[in-house]
Amino acid sequence: MPGWEVIGKEEQAAVNEVFEKGGILCAHGFDHLRKGHFATRFFESEFKDRFQAKHATAVSSGTAGLKVALKALGVGVGDEVITQAFNFIATVEAIRDCGATPIMTNIDDSLNMDPTDLKEKITSKTKAIIIVHMLGNSADMDRLMQIANENGIKVIEDNCESPGATWNDKLLGTIGDIGVFSFDMGKMITCGEGGMVITNDEQLGKFCREYPDHGHENNPDFHRGEDTREIYGFNYRMTEMQAAVGRVQLTKFNDILSSTQTKWKSLREQLSTIPSREVFNACTPMGDTVMIKVVDEDKRNEMIKASNELKVGIKNVPSAIKWHCAGYWDHILDENEFNHSQITKQILSQYVAIPINLKVASETYHKLGERILEIWTK
Ligand SMILES: *Cc1c(COP(=O)(O)O)cnc(C)c1O
């Protein structure tokens, strides 16, 4: 996810602008010192427009965003929250941090949440579902949303890894009740650290705005020190410097997206004779990772070697799988969930994930494709 590849002078100038227009302030209040510059509030508004949501709140990280979303849905002690075994550890940490119990589903051929397993895992204690669109590809949103709706359970989309991808032309992150994005250094657009929480629901939007800001309502009739509040909160605010960088990155988002999608498409077509991760017809992926299934371990290792030699590298699978598969998380899951996740661990161990980067030329991907095909047909 290549935002870091195109970070530079424009982002640096935006940070300077923060200093020039009032100095380091927090996202809210102190308007008289700002010379009309509100980096975080501008970023929220621009993000909301780009991702077609009614409400957007910037937060300090994607993990914080997940916590805010769970709190907004009232998740607490004694509740169960279902998520999937191919994931990033952040979802399970956020669930645990709310005092709730993480329940893990296995994955289907899209390598995202398996709807059949979701059905099995729902109990009277299920309070929310976190669907994670891993590495650019959408989960089966029609079936998953239908199951959630039938059971009256709210859905959070962890869309940290697939911003810009769509399902039936709807942007991922806007289909469930709340969508969460991350701008950490590995993501599609980045400000080093940061996140965004979006929703179309008025009540949830209000909670997601207030909780990361100590419950502040930012009531325009009162000075911040005298501000009104209804809930207690926490401090998960984004800084103005993060927001300034994020705003510039957002202006680069469409170019980043179309570049990765183009390269993704041609590499995937080139490798079409090799089994790959399923992409549902309804999905237009973000295109930052091509995942192929290579059961033969020797061939798999040769392909990884070829990718490293061409300086394309490998993405998360298999290199960082320990942070991305619940089959390794015996420090945070109970025995049942850990054991259940072994199926996903087994499936993922047969995949190779090739990252699509901006500064790696199309010809290099073509060369890699040829090398992979050679190894495959050996
Ligand atoms: C990156 C990521 C997060 C968390 O993001 P941070 O901003 O690093 O806290 C959550 N979920 C997934 C799937 C991610 O890839």
Side-chain angles (χ1 to χ4, degrees):
M1 287 176 258
W4 59 273
E5 291 183 283
V6 288
I7 206 155
K9 289 211 165 20
E10 299 88 354
E11 285 82 354
Q12 198 175 348
V15 173
N16 283 340
E17 196 185 6
V18 173
F19 280 78
E20 282 152 15
K21 295 194 170 158
I24 299 177
L25 299 164
C26 100
H28 306 288
F30 310 102
D31 289 8
H32 62 292
L33 297 174
R34 290 174 186 273
K35 303 183 184 159
H37 192 66
F38 307 92
T40 306
R41 285 176 257 172
F42 290 158
F43 186 31
E44 289 171 340
S45 163
E46 289 153 3
F47 196 89
K48 195 172 72 170
D49 291 345
R50 175 60 184 81
F51 287 90
Q52 296 167 17
K54 288 203 183 112
H55 307 273
T57 301
V59 288
S60 51
S61 72
T63 310
L66 288 165
K67 174 84 182 283
V68 171
L70 289 165
K71 283 280 178 188
L73 298 181
V75 171
V77 177
D79 293 330
E80 293 178 352
V81 177
I82 303 177
T83 187
Q84 65 202 53
F86 185 28
N87 205 323
F88 177 57
I89 187 92
T91 53
V92 175
E93 289 171 329
I95 295 165
R96 278 269 184 250
D97 217 42
C98 291
T101 306
I103 305 291
M104 312 309 289
T105 75
N106 280 304
I107 53 177
D108 64 11
D109 291 337
S110 74
L111 306 185
N112 286 319
M113 183 178 282
D114 177 8
T116 313
D117 203 20
L118 170 64
K119 238 184 204 167
E120 301 265 313
K121 291 281 181 175
I122 291 174
T123 71
S124 58
K125 290 185 184 165
T126 309
K127 185 81 176 179
I129 299 166
I130 307 180
I131 298 169
V132 190
H133 306 293
M134 289 298 288
L135 294 175
N137 190 24
S138 178
D140 188 344
M141 288 309 280
D142 289 349
R143 284 181 67 201
L144 293 171
M145 289 306 295
Q146 191 188 343
I147 295 164
N149 290 337
E150 279 169 6
N151 289 277
I153 301 167
K154 299 277 190 213
V155 170
I156 296 168
E157 285 180 88
D158 176 340
N159 198 30
C160 294
E161 298 197 2
S162 304
T166 57
W167 179 263
N168 284 330
D169 297 326
K170 245 183 121 98
L171 282 159
L172 297 186
T174 63
I175 301 169
D177 297 278
I178 304 179
V180 177
F181 296 74
S182 162
F183 314 119
D184 80 22
M185 60 167 194
K187 298 303 199 280
M188 196 70 162
I189 55 172
T190 180
C191 40
E193 298 279 7
M196 194 72 76
V197 183
I198 65 171
T199 181
N200 287 324
D201 181 282
E202 190 75 33
Q203 281 300 107
L204 294 176
K206 180 169 155 56
F207 186 98
C208 292
R209 205 162 41 244
E210 293 167 5
Y211 186 80
D213 188 23
H214 298 298
H216 269 283
E217 289 188 311
N218 286 296
N219 190 327
D221 299 333
F222 296 94
H223 181 266
R224 190 163 160 89
E226 303 289 320
D227 197 9
T228 53
R229 73 267 170 209
E230 285 174 353
I231 57 165
Y232 80 86
F234 210 79
N235 181 0
Y236 291 124
R237 286 188 302 259
M238 177 174 275
T239 66
E240 292 287 271
M241 288 173 292
Q242 286 170 290
V245 172
R247 291 182 68 203
V248 179
Q249 285 266 295
L250 189 58
T251 65
K252 301 180 177 180
F253 181 78
N254 289 347
D255 286 344
I256 296 174
L257 184 66
S258 67
S259 166
T260 55
Q261 283 177 331
T262 306
K263 285 176 183 166
W264 179 91
K265 203 158 170 261
S266 65
L267 183 60
R268 203 175 133 95
E269 275 164 17
Q270 193 185 0
L271 300 179
S272 62
T273 49
I274 302 178
S276 70
R277 172 186 200 181
E278 177 164 12
V279 176
F280 295 113
N281 285 336
C283 170
T284 303
M286 182 182 76
D288 82 323
T289 316
V290 171
M291 291 188 78
I292 49 174
K293 187 178 181 181
V294 186
V295 179
D296 183 317
E297 193 184 344
D298 291 338
K299 285 189 180 178
R300 202 163 59 233
N301 287 334
E302 270 192 71
M303 289 175 189
I304 292 167
K305 196 163 154 251
S307 195
N308 285 330
E309 277 167 8
L310 284 165
K311 299 202 163 43
V312 173
I314 290 297
K315 176 135 191 132
N316 294 8
V317 182
S319 69
I321 204 169
K322 285 197 178 138
W323 287 99
H324 294 91
C325 175
Y328 294 92
W329 303 343
D330 57 353
H331 64 299
I332 195 166
L333 292 177
D334 72 21
E335 210 180 320
N336 265 345
E337 300 311 316
F338 177 74
N339 290 338
H340 186 64
S341 302
Q342 297 308 305
I343 301 170
T344 291
K345 182 177 166 184
Q346 184 56 34
I347 295 170
L348 289 175
S349 72
Q350 301 180 333
Y351 275 84
V352 176
I354 300 156
I356 303 295
N357 287 323
L358 298 172
K359 298 210 165 145
V360 175
S362 304
E363 300 79 65
T364 307
Y365 283 108
H366 191 75
K367 240 184 252 168
L368 176 60
E370 284 177 343
R371 285 287 296 122
I372 288 175
L373 285 171
E374 260 172 52
I375 297 163
W376 175 256
T377 45
K378 259 209 295 222

